[in-house]
Amino acid sequence: MSDETILVVEDDPTVTHLYNKFLEPEYTVVTTTTAAEAIDVLHGETAPDGEELPDSIDAVLLDRRLPDEPGEVVLDVIEDEEMECRVAMVTGVEPDFDIIDMGFDLYILKPVTRDELMEAVDTLFTRSEYGDLLQEAASLASKRALLESQKSDSELEASDEYDELLDRLEALDDELLDLADTLSADDYRVMFRDIGGQ
């Protein structure tokens, strides 16, 4: 088992059980069913089951629809408090252009297979090793790829948010090329797999 801890924020017990089955052989898993519980766990307060919490949360699998608050509330706390954890939104909510300004790393539509979930977690932990610049570029590239797979060409062309996303990615190009000169071949390959979109 690795040392990493994953927080699963999901109110459907069947889905939570499935994620635990996928993840627990390899990771420590903490589960919550509401945004409030998730925020308590992130702040190091008592886990919902009363067990002692690990020292830190390394990744979060976050549903957008929760009984008390939308998942974005948890996302805002992570971003506003600059918590050192990567986030995948795992949700049944179809993505729209509002995702561009959300501070997640990956957006995965349910239902999710074991392979998809494990690949997502692997990507999150790979990105946790990046600096801020690479994390931003990888997140934006994932959002671009997701929107391009879900929206028509005419919808993309009509979106100011999408144009701003492309402009920001273009602005990062020179900085990323400078950074690429300092990477090993393996790091370079992983980085540009992410930047090229999932």
Side-chain angles (χ1 to χ4, degrees):
M1 179 181 282
S2 73
D3 293 332
E4 288 98 349
T5 299
I6 299 172
L7 171 61
V8 173
V9 189
E10 168 62 61
D11 65 320
D12 184 330
T14 303
V15 175
T16 300
H17 175 75
L18 191 64
Y19 292 176
N20 282 340
K21 185 177 175 182
F22 293 162
L23 297 167
E24 280 186 338
E26 192 167 342
Y27 302 103
T28 299
V29 179
V30 177
T31 61
T32 63
T33 58
T34 67
E37 288 176 352
I39 291 167
D40 285 347
V41 168
L42 288 164
H43 284 152
E45 299 176 15
T46 306
D49 57 11
E51 293 182 12
E52 186 176 334
L53 289 172
D55 291 336
S56 65
I57 300 295
D58 302 295
V60 181
L61 303 179
L62 176 63
D63 195 3
R64 284 188 74 173
R65 289 189 182 127
L66 296 167
D68 57 341
E69 301 270 9
E72 288 92 318
V73 172
V74 179
L75 203 56
D76 289 343
V77 168
I78 292 169
E79 190 170 20
D80 292 346
E81 298 185 20
E82 299 181 351
M83 294 181 176
E84 294 294 324
C85 58
R86 309 271 49 90
V87 181
M89 301 292 277
V90 187
T91 179
V93 179
E94 293 287 335
D96 206 343
F97 292 106
D98 62 343
I99 68 166
I100 292 172
D101 291 326
M102 294 182 190
F104 61 80
D105 296 275
L106 296 172
Y107 196 100
I108 304 160
L109 284 171
K110 294 177 182 175
V112 60
T113 66
R114 181 190 183 283
D115 287 347
E116 289 169 336
L117 192 70
M118 299 307 288
E119 182 179 347
V121 168
D122 183 56
T123 298
L124 292 179
F125 287 130
T126 298
R127 290 185 185 180
S128 70
E129 298 173 10
Y130 294 174
D132 291 343
L133 179 68
L134 273 179
Q135 287 177 6
E136 179 186 7
S139 175
L140 291 175
S142 291
K143 291 173 184 177
R144 179 191 65 198
L146 176 66
L147 289 170
E148 289 174 353
S149 72
Q150 298 289 317
K151 299 291 184 183
S152 67
D153 288 345
S154 59
E155 288 174 311
L156 294 171
E157 289 169 9
S159 170
D160 291 338
E161 297 98 328
Y162 180 71
D163 284 343
E164 290 171 10
L165 171 66
L166 295 182
D167 288 345
R168 179 58 186 147
L169 278 168
E170 185 175 343
L172 289 170
D173 279 353
D174 288 342
E175 295 173 82
L176 290 172
L177 288 173
D178 289 343
L179 179 62
D181 291 337
T182 69
L183 297 175
S184 71
D186 286 342
D187 288 341
Y188 182 90
R189 187 167 44 255
V190 169
M191 179 183 84
F192 280 99
R193 180 195 68 195
D194 272 353
I195 302 305
Q198 299 282 323

